[in-house]
Amino acid sequence: MVSDYRIQGATGDWEVVIGLEVHAQVVSNAKLFSGAATAFGAEPNTQVSLVDAAMPGMLPVPNRECIRQAVRTGMAIDAQINKWSRFDRKNYFYADLPQGYQISQLYHPLVGEGQITVLLDEKDEASAKTIGIERIHVEQDAGKLMHDQHPTMSYVDLNRSGVALMEIVSKPDMRSPAEAGAYLRKLRAILRYVGSCDGNMEEGSMRADVNVSVRKPGEEFGTRTETKNVNSVRFVMAVIEHEARRQVDLIEEGGQVAQETRLYDPDKNVTRTLRSKEDAHDYRYFPDPDLLPLELEDSFLEECRASLPELPDAKRKRFEALGITAYNASVLTAEVETARWFDSLLDAGAEPKQAANWVVAELFGALNRLGKSIEDSPVSATHAAELLGLVADGTISGSIAKTVFEKMIESGDGASAIVEREGLKQTSDTGAIDAEIDKILAANADKVAEYKGGKQQLFGFFVGQTMKAMQGKANPGVVNERLRAKLD
Amino acid sequence: MSVNADQVRHVAKLARIAMSDAEVEAMVPEFNNILGWVEQLGEVDTDGVEPLTAVIDNHLRLRNDVVNDGDCRDAVLKNAPDAQHGFFAVPKVIE
Amino acid sequence: MGELNIKTIAQLRDGFRAGEFSAREIAEEFNAAVEAGRALNVYTVETPENALAAADAADQARQSSDLKPLSGIPLGIKDLFATEGVDSTSGSNILKGFKPPYESTVSGKLKAAGAGMLGKLNMDEFAMGSSNETSAYGPVISPWKRNDGSNAALTPGGSSGGSSAAVAAGMAPGVTGTDTGGSIRQPAAFTGITGIKPTYGRCSRWGIVAFASSLDQAGPMARDVRDCAILLENMCGFDPKDATSLDLPVPQWEAGLSSDLKGKKVGIPVEYRIDGVPEEIDALWDKGVEWLRDAGAEPVKISLPHTKYALPTYYIIAPAEASSNLARYDGVRYGLRESPEGGNLDAMYAATRSAGFGAEVKRRIMIGTYVLSAGFYDAYFTKAQKVRTLIKRDFAQAFGECDFILTPTAPSAAFGLNEKMSDPLAMYLNDVFAVPASLAGLPAMSVPGGLDSQGLPLGLHLIGRELDEQGILNAALAIEERAGFTHRAEKWW
Ligand SMILES: [Mg+2]
Ligand SMILES: [Zn+2]
């Protein structure tokens, strides 16, 4: 699908070209090269080993789980896994970088080319677009600097120093802020399905470097800028819009885009120069002599593959095949927790199509009201399946189901127990129904006459009145049947 | 290849070593001497030769994902020229 | 008593075990020798109490028959090794006052084997030098003097110059050294002692301050071959904290010592006969061949065609790695900090590193930074790593024709202090024979062969196959038995 997103300039329409480098924190107990913990929010410098602080003579030893998670992530995006890779040092000085270099992978990354397919419109398969992935490499995170604690000093906390990151580098395949947003959301979903990154952008578990350039459609790529460390989908989209506009204006005024690194200021919604190419770093990458080449065995790769869960695309297709609408399937698979919860609902025997409708309409509504996420839904999947079962087998009506659901939320009890206790069972007892119908017909003789005179739409009125009289517990099928027998 | 004073200054900047003009001037010929000498490697035919990656045939071992280190702030900060409130302190960095 | 400090480790160990003297007597005598030898500037830190504590533990252990391999033996530890709570400064101002809260694996193993520590040994700053003159603590003075009555102060070699001088002057029976491009072997040769660099990966590098990670190896220096075997056994072994550590059992090198070389072939590389090397050295080399033949080995001519390129290769790779390894000395977390008034972070880095590093270290960081920088990386660093592949291949081919290789250790005997400091290239040439084995990660050692006409020691150099430390220890033993090198520096200090 070709994007028609254009920036209108004085000289005509411009196309924006976007590539994203996403840093995703790998889920692991210990750091990439040391045994220090990775948990978020610890006291400063309490999760720092002598290795992370780059004490003299300290050496890195890689954490298998971090490699494993990166490989699994690569497999999840159909990427080439490089059985031979290597760590390189990226040399630069900064107070948050104790070694004076970051251990990363430039020349031989762990994961090569792959791709991610995004849907620009959740209801429309035809809106699918494939975004190429250039590579995924594994590297260390830096520490953190605090600038507001002291008038003349910055404070250094190394808790993050050495935490494993995957840098996921896309090809410059995106052409609109919406595409970039869809890509990021999809990437985040995949990472969370795989379990290799928690995708928590507020805690910095995922952040993006946004590469933007503009060109007249069909022409060569323009000079790009890189806006660093953007930490939400919304901000990434804002950066692209702002940066594309800025570049178009600049070029049309006769200027030239400088290849530079920029920073995004969310408060002012602008990007500004961090450093230009002239004073760019010369990172002097070279193979880290403390680490031998990383060679992966087939058994390791097999385990990585075998441990992959069903991924969002496959899950969505399976749901659709069960008769679930494209929209519902898309909503149900967007977040791994929802998908897992829904799968356990199906496992508990719920009918897929109804279950999907119920989750999207009823459960989401209730969770929204309660301000709860699906993992701490007060109604378990087993209980929900029970509720849907009672509707399906005619034990309760759809409207009683809503009442039962409310009571389930309040009490945490099972659906059957509530129906039993509160006497909400639907009745098909024709005697009781007939008695009520007779009363209603007698009390509304005028309407009966109108109906018989051809005002067919009054049938609904009689159904409603009967159901009301039966406190919703009458089987609607039986009510219909008895009413027709008496009226027609 | 040979370097001039500006290039030496650039390298010194990359390496974060303050050098006076006199030091830079003195280093230029030394630098060129050493570079000229190592450039004899140009005589060696290395077509098709892979750069050495491991001195001794050995595989990279991987560690298990176990937290068995860290939580030693005192040791980490013990030798710091300036430690404040559990942090290393450095001259203010303005982004 | 009064003679303990010139005994070998084996003699001290056996005499102590037999009850001829106590560990405390040994420690006290060495402590006294250390104190008496301060003029040589061998030790940067003296730790007599540590040596005594280990000695007392050894004396106790002897009573309860609970002896460890090195019980009763005090050692000197090169300042490049981190020693817990004791200044570990790598001979540099930038680490002045640094007391690591950790102990290097190798020194820790020696201590766990019962050894005490006499102190930390002076060295070239960050092990960069061949004369111990780049140390922030000033040069070590060799105990040796020329026999011409000139009284000139000589170098004990470098970078393990404090280590070599300590053994030669009876200020330690054995010491640790490290060897990146000859820093164990050349100083051993200059001071008439024995030193071995094992195969890369045998000794853990954890806790040893890194100079050039792909080359650095620790090893022992001692009076004789047996002592080297004893110490080496207690220094080597797999360390999960070093990703380049070899996961192999440590052979019993002492028990395996044998000077019977029947069936062995000793390779004589034609390329090691180079212009400008004194005839005496070539003559000693020839003598070495004869001694090995006498022990049963058959000499064969071999070729190591890329020998000539080893030094330039080394002087690209080692500075490149060093420029990165030494980036951590930035004044933030430990060591020296120089903060110019009102200066920013970069100014602090530049001032700290300018004040903290000496001239040779700066020179190498600069060269290393340059050869890795944009546009030059392939021409220098990649090229050097390719030539390194060829050098390694040369050895592999040679070892198809011989079991070990004999060469001189250094192209000259010890030179005078200040003689070569003004000419870096002349200094670098000192390691011309030592560097190829370093680039190939091979075990290599120096054993004394004789004295030159000025009365200064000369060493013979043995290079072995990967992991064949036993092969070169045995060949060195054969030379030792035949050379009859019993010369000692006459005590003048
Ligand atoms: Mg980036
Ligand atoms: Zn990165």
Side-chain angles (χ1 to χ4, degrees):
Chain A
M1 144 133 194
V2 180
S3 167
D4 48 11
Y5 179 85
R6 292 289 182 272
I7 307 282
Q8 262 108 49
T11 60
D13 281 359
W14 294 79
E15 185 180 43
V16 57
V17 176
I18 306 148
L20 295 176
E21 295 164 25
V22 172
H23 284 95
Q25 181 180 333
V26 177
V27 172
S28 65
N29 300 315
K31 293 184 179 179
L32 179 54
F33 294 113
S34 86
T38 58
F40 181 78
E43 286 290 296
N45 292 310
T46 55
Q47 294 185 160
V48 181
S49 76
L50 301 171
V51 175
D52 307 317
M55 291 284 160
M58 294 299 96
L59 297 171
V61 182
N63 181 338
R64 179 183 295 105
E65 180 62 10
C66 300
I67 305 300
R68 179 177 170 271
Q69 289 291 28
V71 167
R72 293 174 73 245
T73 304
M75 289 172 167
I77 57 159
D78 284 324
Q80 181 199 325
I81 307 299
N82 294 321
K83 289 179 73 176
W84 194 98
S85 69
R86 204 169 56 179
F87 289 101
D88 300 303
R89 292 185 183 177
K90 177 182 184 179
N91 294 283
Y92 65 96
F93 287 87
Y94 203 54
D96 64 6
L97 190 73
Q99 294 164 136
Y101 54 83
Q102 177 196 32
I103 306 178
S104 180
Q105 298 187 299
L106 175 70
Y107 299 108
H108 298 276
L110 183 59
V111 178
E113 293 192 7
Q115 75 249 338
I116 287 179
T117 301
V118 298
L119 284 186
L120 300 175
D121 175 355
E122 284 160 354
K123 295 190 199 70
D124 184 8
E125 287 285 348
S127 73
K129 172 165 176 166
T130 298
I131 313 291
I133 304 282
E134 184 74 42
R135 57 189 282 153
I136 301 178
H137 64 256
V138 179
E139 62 186 23
Q140 306 173 290
D141 204 350
K144 247 190 162 56
L145 282 177
M146 251 125 314
H147 305 297
D148 47 8
Q149 317 266 319
H150 189 284
T152 60
M153 306 297 275
S154 291
Y155 284 171
V156 187
D157 173 13
L158 298 179
N159 279 349
R160 282 193 76 93
S161 165
V163 166
L165 301 176
M166 294 178 278
E167 182 171 332
I168 303 155
V169 183
S170 86
K171 297 195 173 173
D173 284 354
M174 287 157 276
R175 295 290 178 272
S176 70
E179 284 183 22
Y183 167 80
L184 268 181
R185 281 191 298 268
K186 185 64 174 283
L187 174 61
R188 181 171 175 276
I190 292 171
L191 295 174
R192 286 164 49 76
Y193 268 70
V194 169
S196 58
C197 172
D198 67 20
N200 192 332
M201 295 187 101
E202 298 81 65
E203 290 179 4
S205 301
M206 248 181 108
R207 48 209 207 254
D209 297 345
V210 187
N211 289 291
V212 175
S213 65
V214 295
R215 64 172 176 185
K216 287 283 173 68
E219 288 183 359
E220 297 286 294
F221 286 156
T223 304
R224 66 186 168 85
T225 62
E226 180 181 19
T227 305
K228 287 272 192 200
N229 279 331
V230 187
N231 64 1
S232 83
V233 174
R234 193 160 56 86
F235 290 163
V236 166
M237 293 169 70
V239 162
I240 295 165
E241 264 178 62
H242 170 270
E243 192 47 27
R245 182 81 252 169
R246 189 189 68 86
Q247 291 183 14
V248 166
D249 291 349
L250 184 64
I251 296 168
E252 292 192 330
E253 282 159 18
Q256 271 191 324
V257 176
Q259 187 178 333
E260 62 185 3
T261 305
R262 300 179 71 85
L263 267 191
Y264 177 62
D265 181 341
D267 297 333
K268 300 193 185 111
N269 188 28
V270 293
T271 65
R272 58 183 167 82
T273 302
L274 180 62
R275 70 184 105 84
S276 67
K277 191 154 192 231
E278 287 80 69
D279 52 42
H281 291 124
D282 180 344
Y283 291 120
R284 290 160 283 133
Y285 279 97
F286 76 107
D288 191 328
D290 286 331
L291 295 162
L292 295 152
L294 173 60
E295 293 167 85
L296 301 181
E297 306 205 350
D298 289 332
S299 57
F300 180 83
L301 296 178
E302 280 158 24
E303 188 283 323
C304 287
R305 197 172 290 286
S307 68
L308 279 185
E310 186 183 34
L311 294 165
D313 287 353
K315 212 180 263 290
R316 201 187 67 239
K317 288 203 181 96
R318 177 164 61 82
F319 286 176
E320 285 180 31
L322 292 172
I324 295 169
T325 64
Y327 175 77
N328 279 353
S330 169
V331 170
L332 289 171
T333 53
E335 288 287 344
V336 65
E337 288 81 6
T338 310
R340 289 218 182 101
W341 201 94
F342 185 70
D343 261 332
S344 31
L345 184 58
L346 295 185
D347 288 347
E351 193 281 319
K353 202 173 162 175
Q354 274 177 346
N357 288 333
W358 180 80
V359 168
V360 172
E362 304 294 329
L363 180 63
F364 283 179
L367 292 174
N368 240 337
R369 267 197 327 276
L370 297 167
K372 290 199 168 182
S373 63
I374 200 155
E375 305 104 286
D376 35 48
S377 160
V379 173
S380 71
T382 326
H383 282 173
E386 195 186 326
L387 176 67
L388 291 170
L390 292 176
V391 178
D393 69 10
T395 308
I396 57 172
S397 67
S399 59
I400 288 290
K402 289 185 209 278
T403 315
V404 174
F405 181 47
E406 287 306 323
K407 292 184 191 287
M408 289 167 78
I409 290 172
E410 281 161 26
S411 64
D413 292 340
S416 303
I418 291 170
V419 167
E420 204 61 48
R421 185 168 71 217
E422 313 260 328
L424 296 172
K425 206 173 244 171
Q426 175 166 279
T427 178
S428 303
D429 175 351
T430 47
I433 294 172
D434 279 351
E436 290 301 336
I437 289 177
D438 290 344
K439 275 190 233 163
I440 287 161
L441 295 185
N444 294 284
D446 51 336
K447 292 214 165 62
V448 173
E450 277 177 56
Y451 177 81
K452 293 202 164 160
K455 208 168 174 194
Q456 294 283 314
Q457 56 269 49
L458 276 170
F459 190 74
F461 165 78
F462 297 121
V463 173
Q465 288 297 304
T466 313
M467 291 304 281
K468 195 174 166 194
M470 295 290 294
Q471 292 161 300
K473 284 180 278 180
N475 181 327
V478 176
V479 171
N480 267 286
E481 185 205 302
R482 299 309 301 160
L483 267 172
R484 293 221 183 272
K486 286 182 192 285
L487 284 169
D488 295 347
Chain B
M1 274 167 267
S2 82
V3 298
N4 58 30
D6 278 345
Q7 285 162 304
V8 168
R9 226 171 259 123
H10 174 68
V11 174
K13 194 180 163 205
L14 279 179
R16 299 296 189 278
I17 295 175
M19 281 178 101
S20 67
D21 286 348
E23 284 171 307
V24 169
E25 291 302 333
M27 190 162 273
V28 171
E30 248 173 35
F31 218 99
N32 283 322
N33 228 354
I34 295 169
L35 288 180
W37 174 67
V38 298
E39 277 165 16
Q40 62 180 295
L41 294 190
E43 299 164 12
V44 185
D45 179 3
T46 51
D47 286 354
V49 178
E50 283 297 314
L52 187 115
T53 48
V55 192
I56 296 295
D57 238 1
N58 196 355
H59 290 263
L60 183 60
R61 279 181 319 276
L62 303 173
R63 217 182 66 241
N64 289 333
D65 185 27
V66 178
V67 176
N68 55 12
D69 204 347
D71 199 11
C72 53
R73 177 154 79 183
D74 290 348
V76 163
L77 295 175
K78 181 175 164 273
N79 284 282
D82 190 359
Q84 299 181 20
H85 314 294
F87 294 94
F88 297 101
V90 297
K92 191 147 206 131
V93 179
I94 298 128
E95 293 229 300
Chain C
M1 233 52 56
E3 289 289 295
L4 291 179
N5 74 323
I6 55 165
K7 287 188 184 298
T8 65
I9 289 171
Q11 287 166 346
L12 291 170
R13 175 188 66 187
D14 298 344
F16 161 65
R17 288 179 182 220
E20 290 166 32
F21 37 78
S22 69
R24 191 165 183 97
E25 286 171 298
I26 300 173
E28 278 172 348
E29 190 159 332
F30 276 103
N31 282 342
V34 168
E35 204 184 316
R38 284 180 185 154
L40 303 185
N41 200 22
V42 162
Y43 282 89
T44 56
V45 185
E46 295 171 8
T47 55
E49 66 301 329
N50 186 309
L52 288 175
D56 290 346
D59 285 330
Q60 291 244 309
R62 184 172 62 178
Q63 283 188 343
S64 54
S65 305
D66 190 21
L67 290 168
K68 296 177 186 150
L70 296 177
S71 286
I73 309 298
L75 300 172
I77 303 294
K78 188 177 181 179
D79 200 26
L80 203 63
F81 294 75
T83 45
E84 191 172 352
V86 177
D87 284 53
S88 304
T89 62
S90 302
S92 181
N93 271 323
I94 210 159
L95 276 172
K96 273 271 162 76
F98 178 66
K99 290 183 172 56
Y102 51 95
E103 179 86 21
S104 83
T105 298
V106 165
S107 57
K109 276 170 111 63
L110 289 168
K111 289 176 181 177
M117 179 168 81
L118 293 161
K120 300 299 288 290
L121 293 159
N122 201 346
M123 54 180 283
D124 277 303
E125 185 180 7
F126 286 108
M128 297 179 193
S130 304
S131 65
N132 212 117
E133 290 168 282
T134 71
S135 169
Y137 299 90
V140 173
I141 319 289
S142 173
W144 290 86
K145 296 278 189 201
R146 292 192 181 109
N147 59 11
D148 59 3
S150 70
N151 203 29
L154 302 179
T155 174
S159 66
S160 309
S163 300
S164 63
V167 175
M171 294 163 71
V175 296
T176 63
T178 61
D179 190 314
T180 303
S183 282
I184 286 176
R185 294 161 285 158
Q186 180 255 25
F190 277 16
T191 55
I193 67 163
T194 307
I196 181 166
K197 172 193 98 71
T199 306
Y200 181 83
R202 278 274 199 210
C203 279
S204 167
R205 293 183 296 113
W206 194 89
I208 301 175
V209 168
F211 161 15
S213 312
S214 75
L215 294 147
D216 297 343
Q217 258 303 287
M221 300 161 80
R223 286 200 204 302
D224 66 10
V225 173
R226 176 170 301 272
D227 284 5
C228 281
I230 293 169
L231 290 178
L232 191 61
E233 274 183 46
N234 289 290
M235 293 167 73
C236 290
F238 174 61
D239 182 3
K241 293 189 285 189
D242 175 357
T244 60
S245 171
L246 290 165
D247 192 359
L248 295 171
V250 180
Q252 296 194 303
W253 287 304
E254 187 191 8
L257 285 176
S258 159
S259 55
D260 178 358
L261 304 181
K262 265 196 276 310
K264 299 287 182 195
K265 287 182 178 162
V266 49
I268 315 300
V270 291
E271 292 82 3
Y272 279 57
R273 220 165 274 274
I274 56 175
D275 291 344
V277 171
E279 247 173 66
E280 293 177 285
I281 286 183
D282 281 343
L284 176 71
W285 189 10
D286 293 339
K287 233 193 232 172
V289 176
E290 286 318 307
W291 288 330
L292 291 173
R293 191 201 299 277
D294 183 59
E298 178 198 338
V300 292
K301 275 209 161 65
I302 56 160
S303 174
L304 297 166
H306 295 92
T307 299
K308 175 182 170 200
Y309 301 106
L311 263 189
T313 298
Y314 176 88
Y315 275 96
I316 290 171
I317 292 168
E321 293 184 10
S323 71
S324 177
N325 282 334
L326 270 60
R328 65 187 56 197
Y329 307 105
D330 59 6
V332 174
R333 296 164 316 285
Y334 42 76
L336 184 76
R337 170 183 292 193
E338 290 284 321
S339 264
E341 191 60 41
N344 62 10
L345 182 68
D346 271 337
M348 182 192 94
Y349 288 152
T352 298
R353 292 163 62 79
S354 181
F357 292 137
E360 180 62 22
V361 170
K362 285 182 198 170
R363 187 180 291 127
R364 296 205 198 183
I365 290 176
M366 294 281 290
I367 293 284
T369 301
Y370 180 78
V371 299
L372 290 177
S373 63
F376 303 109
Y377 175 75
D378 280 329
Y380 291 105
F381 189 78
T382 309
K383 180 79 182 182
Q385 288 290 31
K386 287 180 178 175
V387 178
R388 193 174 180 185
T389 298
L390 294 173
I391 289 166
K392 196 167 160 60
R393 206 176 281 170
D394 282 357
F395 278 109
Q397 267 157 15
F399 283 123
E401 297 157 39
C402 66
D403 298 291
F404 50 85
I405 294 166
L406 180 75
T407 82
T409 307
S412 73
F415 45 88
L417 294 182
N418 291 318
E419 262 176 36
K420 298 196 177 178
M421 276 305 273
S422 58
D423 185 352
L425 283 184
M427 188 70 93
Y428 298 169
L429 286 172
N430 251 285
D431 292 317
V432 64
F433 299 137
V435 152
S438 297
L439 289 169
L442 300 172
M445 72 183 294
S446 180
V447 61
L451 297 179
D452 73 355
S453 58
Q454 294 185 306
L456 297 180
L458 295 173
L460 284 167
H461 184 220
L462 291 147
I463 305 169
R465 287 197 178 99
E466 222 168 271
L467 302 177
D468 189 21
E469 286 80 7
Q470 192 75 64
I472 56 171
L473 284 164
N474 288 353
L477 184 65
I479 290 174
E480 183 178 271
E481 286 171 1
R482 286 162 182 81
F485 187 92
T486 53
H487 312 281
R488 301 190 52 83
E490 225 164 286
K491 191 165 185 297
W492 53 264
W493 56 92

